[in-house]
Amino acid sequence: MKIAVFCGSSTGNDSIYVNEAEKLGEFFAINDIDLVYGGGKVGLMGTIANAVLANGGKVYGVIPEYLQEKEIAHTDLTELFVVTDMHERKAKMASMADAFVALPGGAGTLEEIFEAWTWAQLGHHSKPCALYNSNGFYQHLLAMITNMTTSGFLHAKYAEMLILADNPKELLYRIEAYQPPEKKWT
């Protein structure tokens, strides 16, 4: 299995985010789950990649040319794909991955997981999308998603398709048990 992880190019201001990324990376490697991610060696991106590699796992990075220097491309990966832009990055990651997981991060992390989730709603793929809720990081976002649902902008079945987990075993269990809802607009 290959899981695409979207996460911060910084580590945040609480060491719990680094610790949780390391634990998830170790879990991936031990359970023969390959990591597909943004290709940087900085922030949580580098943290999870290093943890997978340190435990004998495979890591596939996808980085746009113009971010290769800014995000300091990780050169010790199983394979690094250098692409032209963010659109190509996301398409490449989506084609490689069996599931998508967002660890803590900023606007880019949200944009990436929301695009994957939107594609799932529209039926472009039937892969699970998850929020890894380290230290309750995504609680406020979940409240917003609930507000979207109660306000009539998001059908409950599409809100419920977004997996929430705060530990590696629960995450893997929920990814493996995932059943996509009926496609939107069918």
Side-chain angles (χ1 to χ4, degrees), residues 112-159:
E112 290 168 323
I113 194 65
F114 270 61
E115 182 169 74
W117 180 33
T118 300
W119 289 351
Q121 289 177 51
L122 295 173
H124 292 303
H125 68 75
S126 57
K127 302 171 185 180
C129 299
L131 300 174
Y132 198 73
N133 200 26
S134 300
N135 198 33
F137 183 80
Y138 283 112
Q139 288 308 122
H140 294 289
L141 180 61
L142 293 170
M144 184 64 212
I145 291 169
T146 298
N147 187 46
M148 289 178 199
T149 303
T150 58
S151 298
F153 292 103
L154 178 65
H155 195 284
K157 68 182 175 183
Y158 300 122

Side-chain angles (χ1 to χ4, degrees), residues 1-2 22 25 35 64 67 79 85 107 122 157-158 177:
M1 176 186 301
K2 288 182 180 172
E22 289 173 339
L35 173 66
L67 288 180
E79 193 165 0
D85 57 31
L122 295 173
K157 68 182 175 183
Y158 300 122

Side-chain angles (χ1 to χ4, degrees), residues 54-164:
N55 289 280
K58 294 180 183 173
V59 179
Y60 301 91
V62 184
I63 194 164
E65 294 169 347
Y66 68 93
L67 288 180
Q68 194 172 1
E69 288 185 26
K70 291 180 185 179
E71 287 186 354
I72 312 169
H74 200 309
T75 56
D76 299 324
L77 305 178
T78 306
E79 193 165 0
L80 178 65
F81 300 93
V82 180
V83 296
T84 57
D85 57 31
M86 290 297 285
H87 296 291
E88 190 178 347
R89 178 195 225 178
K90 291 184 290 183
K92 177 75 172 170
M93 290 176 70
S95 72
M96 294 176 69
D98 299 306
F100 306 94
V101 176
L103 272 64
T109 301
L110 289 180
E111 187 271 333
E112 290 168 323
I113 194 65
F114 270 61
E115 182 169 74
W117 180 33
T118 300
W119 289 351
Q121 289 177 51
L122 295 173
H124 292 303
H125 68 75
S126 57
K127 302 171 185 180
C129 299
L131 300 174
Y132 198 73
N133 200 26
S134 300
N135 198 33
F137 183 80
Y138 283 112
Q139 288 308 122
H140 294 289
L141 180 61
L142 293 170
M144 184 64 212
I145 291 169
T146 298
N147 187 46
M148 289 178 199
T149 303
T150 58
S151 298
F153 292 103
L154 178 65
H155 195 284
K157 68 182 175 183
Y158 300 122
E160 292 164 3
M161 73 190 294
L162 192 59
I163 294 168
L164 180 69

